[in-house]
Amino acid sequence: MSWNQNPDDEVECPPVTNGIQTVTASALRRNGFMVVESRPCRIVGISPPHPAYNITLKNIFTGEDVETTVAHDANVEVPDVTRREYHLLSIDDTILSMVNEGDQEKNSLHVPDGELGDKIKRMKDEEDLDVNIIVIEAMGEEAVIGVKQV
């Protein structure tokens, strides 16, 4: 807005994205991503539009199944999702001590619950293997989703 513009006039401002893009539903594909109920989800299945897409998704952080219906020409939000690998140095209590390829330390993630957490502990502590931790990041959140031997 210029300083001499009337403050009551409508001004179009660019949207604040927070790692989210807007696309038309017709651009969605299986194994892509979509925001549903403010949560990032992976598209598991998508039916042809008759008159709308029926979309089956899975929350990328909780694994919760989600279903939604979207008109083919509707605008939908798609999160920017990043997958990164970190080298695991140690496990301090329940905190993963890791470094990336640039040797920057990361100590903000906990050992996940369940089978994945058990596998990480077993590979690092019991088997003393050299491992990388796979982390997924989206919409300001991150979670451990895998482990692999280096």
Side-chain angles (χ1 to χ4, degrees), residues 5-53:
Q5 188 172 1
N6 184 339
D8 294 330
D9 290 346
E10 285 190 22
V11 177
E12 189 172 330
C13 297
V16 176
T17 62
N18 281 341
I20 298 173
Q21 300 172 13
T22 301
V23 300
T24 59
S26 61
L28 297 174
R29 300 290 179 261
R30 188 171 190 266
N31 291 324
F33 298 96
M34 180 177 157
V35 176
V36 178
E37 297 173 7
S38 301
R39 303 296 296 155
C41 299
R42 177 181 295 277
I43 299 171
V44 176
I46 187 167
S47 69
H50 298 295
Y53 291 107

Side-chain angles (χ1 to χ4, degrees), residues 18-128:
N18 281 341
I20 298 173
Q21 300 172 13
T22 301
V23 300
T24 59
S26 61
L28 297 174
R29 300 290 179 261
R30 188 171 190 266
N31 291 324
F33 298 96
M34 180 177 157
V35 176
V36 178
E37 297 173 7
S38 301
R39 303 296 296 155
C41 299
R42 177 181 295 277
I43 299 171
V44 176
I46 187 167
S47 69
H50 298 295
Y53 291 107
N54 288 318
I55 305 173
T56 306
L57 308 105
K58 191 171 284 285
N59 183 307
I60 65 172
F61 293 118
T62 66
E64 176 186 356
D65 291 328
V66 181
E67 290 192 21
T68 191
T69 303
V70 180
H72 77 283
D73 58 350
N75 286 332
V76 296
E77 293 179 328
V78 175
D80 293 329
V81 178
T82 305
R83 180 184 179 275
R84 294 196 163 107
E85 287 190 24
Y86 296 90
H87 183 74
L88 180 61
L89 301 174
S90 65
I91 300 173
D92 303 319
D93 195 19
T94 62
I95 305 292
L96 299 171
S97 179
M98 308 177 288
V99 293
N100 65 11
E101 289 180 0
D103 287 331
Q104 293 177 317
E105 288 191 29
K106 183 170 192 65
N107 300 307
S108 60
L109 292 172
H110 289 270
V111 176
D113 294 330
E115 287 181 37
L116 179 56
D118 293 343
K119 183 177 180 181
I120 291 169
K121 290 177 197 172
R122 185 182 70 251
M123 290 177 77
K124 186 63 180 171
D125 293 337
E126 295 172 19
E127 299 172 14
D128 197 30

